Amino acid sequence: QVQLQESGPGLVKPSGTLSLICTVSGGSISTYYWSWIRQPPGKGLEWIGHIYYSGTSRYNPSLESRVTISIDTSKNQFSLKLSSVTAADTAVYYCARVQMATIFMDVWGEGTTVTVSS
Amino acid sequence: QSALTQPASVSGSPGQSITISCTGTSSDVGGYDYVSWYQHHPGKAPKLMIYDVSNRPSGVSDRFSGSKSGNTASLTISGLQAEDEAEYYCGSYTGGSTLFVFGTGTKVTAL
């Protein structure tokens, strides 16, 4: 059974870069799409973007200028970088596997909390 | 792309049926049969409950069912149980630059 685990710093300074890794276990990262999703405190879920194992990616236009999602198939990992962060980027960040044929997320990580503060 | 609209909370007695609505536009919910529903218990990984409007993944109870009419999708929980208490989110493919949009979330309470 495929499992996902997010990892990375829980605290990032304003104007810095948020960096997270999602490790995929129990299955191959190849042939699937993979996504990052976040949930700010007291708010709903927001799709950040996704990447295909080939490296093709797509981002939420509201974050596109600051987001990079990359993939390392040799490590069965994909990652998120979000630059120029502010307090508004404080959230629980989830990684998920995407079934792209009809766009839904069928496997999720438990999430990791990232706080932007000096 | 705005979030899909869900009621903030829905409650029911154990054993009753409840329905959660998810309202979008013709550019998302109404335009495609690509609506999914997720159950989220605090501190845990969200769980896919319904995909493609009305399909249940293997292992999801048949007490959960989905439907759609026009720009509004619905999730019905039959025979409400205490374990069903959670936040529920709908989601939909959009035809625009924002590929996917979630709903605002609904807290379900078993009274």
Side-chain angles (χ1 to χ4, degrees):
Chain A
Q1 179 162 336
V2 174
Q3 292 184 312
L4 281 62
Q5 180 67 58
E6 305 89 348
S7 60
L11 181 64
V12 181
K13 292 187 184 325
S15 77
T17 297
L18 179 159
S19 296
L20 296 174
I21 291 174
C22 182
T23 300
V24 180
S25 59
S28 174
I29 202 169
S30 298
T31 73
Y32 282 102
Y33 286 78
W34 305 90
S35 182
W36 287 98
I37 296 141
R38 69 180 182 179
Q39 183 175 31
K43 295 188 177 182
L45 299 169
E46 179 182 32
W47 173 74
I48 298 172
H50 70 251
I51 190 165
Y52 191 39
Y53 79 100
S54 65
T56 303
S57 59
R58 185 165 173 180
Y59 306 127
N60 188 321
S62 67
L63 299 169
E64 189 165 18
S65 63
R66 301 192 291 129
V67 171
T68 301
I69 298 176
S70 56
I71 195 163
D72 187 336
T73 55
S74 67
K75 295 182 178 179
N76 243 30
Q77 295 176 334
F78 63 104
S79 63
L80 170 69
K81 290 188 184 298
L82 182 64
S83 63
S84 305
V85 297
T86 68
D89 295 310
T90 293
V92 178
Y93 285 77
Y94 298 95
C95 58
R97 188 176 74 177
V98 184
Q99 295 292 345
M100 256 335 245
T102 55
I103 315 291
F104 59 89
M105 282 60 81
D106 65 341
V107 183
W108 294 65
E110 290 195 348
T112 187
T113 300
V114 178
T115 302
V116 178
S117 174
S118 57
Chain B
Q1 183 74 42
S2 299
L4 307 176
T5 301
Q6 298 179 234
S9 63
V10 173
S11 60
S13 300
Q16 283 188 330
S17 293
I18 63 168
T19 297
I20 304 167
S21 61
C22 170
T23 301
T25 70
S26 58
S27 297
D28 38 63
V29 174
Y32 312 91
D33 288 336
Y34 297 161
V35 177
S36 47
W37 289 90
Y38 305 88
Q39 178 191 65
H40 190 202
H41 288 105
K44 295 193 173 182
K47 178 183 179 182
L48 175 69
M49 304 302 284
I50 296 286
Y51 66 95
D52 296 356
V53 175
S54 60
N55 292 325
R56 268 190 315 275
S58 174
V60 172
S61 171
D62 60 4
R63 297 186 298 104
F64 292 84
S65 61
S67 62
K68 191 186 85 167
S69 178
N71 294 338
T72 298
S74 299
L75 174 71
T76 297
I77 306 175
S78 304
L80 187 66
Q81 299 180 1
E83 66 198 50
D84 300 332
E85 286 199 334
E87 192 87 12
Y88 290 82
Y89 291 91
C90 62
S92 176
Y93 169 76
T94 84
S97 53
T98 301
L99 186 69
F100 190 87
V101 63
F102 286 99
T104 50
T106 298
K107 182 174 176 58
V108 167
T109 303
L111 299 172

